[in-house]
Amino acid sequence: MTNKRITVSNAISGIGFDLVEDAYEAKTDTRKKTLALASLAAAVFLILSVGALLIFHRADKKPDVPPVDGTEETATEYTYMKTYLIGNSQSGSEGEIERKGFYQYLQYEDPDLKGTSRTITFDGKDYVCKYQVTVPQIKLTIVRDRYISEEGCSFLVDRQTGKPTSVNFYYGAPRPESTGTPISEEEARRLADAALEKHVGSLQGYSCSGLSGSASYRSYSFHYGKLIRGIELYECLSASVSFSGEIVSMSFAAKGAFDSYDVEKIISELDLEEIDAACAQKIQGYFKQIPSYIGNEIRKECTERTLAFSPDGKLCLFSQYDCQADFTYTEDDGTVVADTIGRAYEFVTYLE
Amino acid sequence: MTDEKIVELFFARSEDAIKESEKAYGPYLQYIARSILKSDEDANEIVNDTYLKAWNSIPPLKPSPLKPFLGRITRQLAINRLEYLSAGKRGGETLPIDELADVIPDEVSENDLKDAFDRFLRKEPTLSRRIFILRYWYGLNADEIAKKLGVRGSRVNGILFRARKRLREALEKEGFHV
């Protein structure tokens, strides 16, 4: 990076963090309409009568920006008959809330492995690697150790099976130059399929979603998931192929984790309406805690359902909901502003 | 857990410091790294490296609040990685910061420029300010910004163009000469 670019980059990095957070909090469909106080008051008076009193009582002060503590924005929540909350101290006062420790994606240095080396064989080639760090896997009872080879390859090795579940061939090494015409996405896909099939056998049952080619990386990325009745299994694959056709990285998350389960049957017996209703009730409760929320309907959409495992090894369904609701607040100059808040909540339902 | 408590854990060399940092700020740091690198796998690595760097920096540092401290580390590590990966490539995607460098004077100190950016952004309309920061702080492209904010991609580009023009004018008004 040139000196000027470093200067510009560092200067941008140092701007007030309130501005940085405000941009992050901005949401799709945020319709910020500044309305004249008089016209809004008239409309509210005509339409809502008694409700208007409540609105002005609850929305008489502009909430801090963002309207709700930013930590809630990224909080992850779970339910098992009850709803559990992780990482949001605001809700700590609820009796049923407790920390369940689902998010275990926390690296740590295992003192027993620190400074050790081992040889990892991958695709018939031996790599002499040094232990770097231990990384448990999200939503799954798998602990993986990361090793870095002398050539600069990174391996995540499943501690239980001793086999690599992820490899990045150019983690710490320069990639080969690919200055010619990039290979087509179809050709890259064929190479990715072939590379993965060597490790997982058939790709039958997987559907592939190609991520757009990354010009920065000069590569194509592919994600292979197993989707059953709209529910994705946490067992998935991925591969990256450079524009010149080298396999850059591969991963095999949760390979075989569901082999002992009749997944089709389990999913067909799920009562998603009941799960949705339980989650919706909880979401309603969270929104009620927002002081300036005016009671409008919450727009909810389940954006993702994933079958996975809890840290204690139990089969779970994770459901993620994107939610939005309208609210108003009053600026210091008396202007009433209508805005929309958005939240994402993730719940877990034990299935055994 | 409060930032103060988390920092205390760092000082006590307790690994719970990493755990609590992840709980409080993990998704946000992931968002920063993913925005810049466009790769979940690399973003995971950068976030992990962030915790390692924080572990090695605290103590002696005692950051308060913690979120900006961690966020800026993640951003810097992600940018370094992007630079490393792009090094020597011709025609590849470059850091969006290049767009800005064209309207920035050559001889300016980092601190002066930081203050000038801050002043400029605080005067910008909300939408323009958010788009500017999403582009140049988080590294999102126009389509990603459009999707996040619910506006058209062409509008994002137009707003960025005009914002850069105003930035240049603002810098010139403050005595910087491009």
Side-chain angles (χ1 to χ4, degrees):
Chain A
M1 217 194 288
T2 63
N3 286 342
K4 184 173 177 183
R5 291 170 73 204
I6 292 169
T7 301
V8 174
S9 179
N10 290 346
I12 276 283
S13 187
I15 61 172
F17 208 76
D18 57 324
L19 301 175
V20 175
E21 280 190 298
D22 172 69
Y24 169 68
E25 302 286 349
K27 288 285 175 185
T28 301
D29 286 334
T30 293
R31 293 166 290 117
K32 191 170 184 177
K33 299 169 186 170
T34 302
L35 307 171
L37 180 61
S39 62
L40 181 72
V44 171
F45 182 79
L46 286 171
I47 299 167
L48 296 176
S49 61
V50 175
L53 292 173
L54 178 62
I55 290 168
F56 282 112
H57 172 71
R58 299 179 68 176
D60 58 350
K61 284 193 176 176
K62 177 184 175 182
D64 293 333
V65 177
V68 178
D69 182 353
T71 57
E72 183 166 327
E73 191 76 38
T74 52
T76 305
E77 310 199 8
Y78 303 93
T79 184
Y80 166 47
M81 305 302 284
K82 293 177 180 177
T83 297
Y84 295 105
L85 178 64
I86 292 177
N88 183 351
S89 58
Q90 274 197 335
S91 300
S93 56
E94 280 193 20
E96 68 188 44
I97 300 297
E98 59 183 67
R99 291 180 186 276
K100 297 292 287 182
F102 271 89
Y103 259 92
Q104 295 209 334
Y105 192 75
L106 307 165
Q107 70 165 24
Y108 60 91
E109 212 171 51
D110 187 327
D112 293 337
L113 294 177
K114 188 177 177 181
T116 63
S117 296
R118 61 174 289 185
T119 300
I120 294 170
T121 304
F122 193 83
D123 273 351
K125 185 178 172 187
D126 289 340
Y127 297 84
V128 179
C129 299
K130 283 184 180 166
Y131 168 79
Q132 193 188 36
V133 75
T134 295
V135 188
Q137 189 160 1
I138 302 172
K139 296 180 183 176
L140 210 62
T141 52
I142 288 181
V143 173
R144 300 176 299 173
D145 299 312
R146 187 197 287 168
Y147 288 87
I148 307 292
S149 80
E150 292 165 342
E151 301 91 336
C153 305
S154 157
F155 295 91
L156 281 172
V157 178
D158 183 332
R159 187 173 283 190
Q160 201 171 359
T161 65
K163 292 182 179 171
T165 64
S166 173
V167 56
N168 184 334
F169 291 106
Y170 303 103
Y171 179 74
R175 292 183 188 190
E177 282 291 334
S178 52
T179 52
T181 306
I183 60 170
S184 67
E185 187 168 345
E186 292 71 27
E187 174 61 14
R189 166 75 191 278
R190 277 193 291 277
L191 292 168
D193 284 359
L196 289 168
E197 276 173 342
K198 280 205 287 188
H199 293 275
V200 298
S202 168
L203 292 176
Q204 194 175 6
Y206 286 98
S207 57
C208 175
S209 54
L211 305 177
S212 59
S214 163
S216 304
Y217 283 83
R218 299 183 67 77
S219 62
Y220 297 98
S221 295
F222 301 98
H223 173 84
Y224 299 69
K226 284 186 173 176
L227 200 66
I228 300 173
R229 295 171 195 254
I231 294 175
E232 186 161 1
L233 303 193
Y234 197 53
E235 185 177 1
C236 58
L237 311 171
S238 69
S240 260
V241 183
S242 76
F243 282 178
S244 51
E246 293 93 354
I247 300 295
V248 175
S249 64
M250 287 186 276
S251 71
F252 330 100
K255 181 186 163 193
F258 297 92
D259 285 357
S260 60
Y261 292 87
D262 186 344
V263 175
E264 288 272 359
K265 183 169 181 291
I266 290 168
I267 289 178
S268 69
E269 289 174 353
L270 281 177
D271 188 340
L272 295 180
E273 283 185 14
E274 188 181 328
I275 292 170
D276 280 342
C279 294
Q281 194 178 6
K282 284 294 172 191
I283 289 168
Q284 189 79 31
Y286 304 144
F287 273 75
K288 277 183 182 170
Q289 294 170 19
I290 301 170
S292 50
Y293 168 60
I294 58 176
N296 289 348
E297 183 188 353
I298 302 166
R299 300 179 289 282
K300 296 182 289 290
E301 185 190 1
C302 184
T303 53
E304 197 178 304
R305 293 190 199 274
T306 312
L307 202 60
F309 295 89
S310 67
D312 51 355
K314 291 181 176 153
L315 197 64
C316 291
L317 179 71
F318 287 77
S319 306
Q320 185 172 305
Y321 298 82
D322 276 351
C323 314
Q324 289 186 331
D326 299 323
F327 75 105
T328 62
Y329 63 87
T330 308
E331 296 274 18
D332 294 340
D333 63 0
T335 308
V336 175
V337 176
D339 208 339
T340 303
I341 52 172
R343 293 282 183 273
Y345 295 101
E346 190 175 18
F347 298 88
V348 64
T349 306
Y350 279 84
L351 304 179
E352 59 179 359
Chain B
M1 183 176 281
T2 63
D3 283 358
E4 199 180 2
K5 295 280 182 197
I6 295 174
V7 171
E8 278 177 18
L9 290 172
F10 274 107
F11 268 77
R13 312 313 287 159
S14 163
E15 287 178 2
D16 283 347
I18 308 291
K19 199 171 161 185
E20 293 299 334
S21 299
E22 166 70 19
K23 277 181 188 169
Y25 304 119
Y28 178 62
L29 302 180
Q30 184 77 18
Y31 178 84
I32 295 172
R34 177 70 182 76
S35 298
I36 293 169
L37 293 167
K38 322 294 182 198
S39 157
D40 287 330
E41 191 180 345
D42 289 287
N44 288 339
E45 289 167 358
I46 290 298
V47 172
N48 283 330
D49 292 344
T50 300
Y51 298 134
L52 194 59
K53 189 157 186 178
W55 179 263
N56 291 331
S57 310
I58 312 171
L61 296 182
K62 200 171 187 179
S64 178
L66 197 53
K67 190 174 180 181
F69 176 77
L70 295 174
R72 288 188 173 113
I73 290 177
T74 302
R75 180 178 185 270
Q76 194 54 56
L77 290 173
I79 286 174
N80 291 348
R81 188 152 175 78
L82 188 63
E83 280 289 312
Y84 170 77
L85 291 166
S86 305
K89 304 288 193 301
R90 286 194 294 275
E93 190 173 289
T94 55
L95 281 174
I97 219 73
D98 284 342
E99 297 169 5
L100 270 187
D102 291 341
V103 299
I104 304 296
D106 286 320
E107 300 299 328
V108 59
S109 78
E110 199 180 288
N111 274 342
D112 287 348
L113 193 56
K114 183 191 77 177
D115 293 341
F117 274 138
D118 200 281
R119 281 192 296 274
F120 165 75
L121 287 169
R122 288 183 194 282
K123 288 177 188 165
E124 278 287 279
T126 303
L127 184 62
S128 175
R129 185 183 70 233
R130 286 175 174 171
I131 287 174
F132 190 98
I133 291 169
L134 289 170
R135 176 74 179 139
Y136 301 121
W137 204 98
Y138 289 97
L140 296 183
N141 62 37
D143 287 345
E144 290 166 327
I145 295 169
K147 194 176 169 191
K148 179 174 174 64
L149 298 179
V151 296
R152 293 192 314 278
S154 57
R155 193 175 170 210
V156 169
N157 284 323
I159 288 173
L160 280 171
F161 176 78
R162 287 189 292 278
R164 287 196 300 269
K165 190 166 173 280
R166 283 194 296 274
L167 173 63
R168 181 181 182 138
E169 289 165 358
L171 289 171
E172 284 178 348
K173 269 186 189 172
E174 293 194 12
F176 300 108
H177 295 288
V178 181

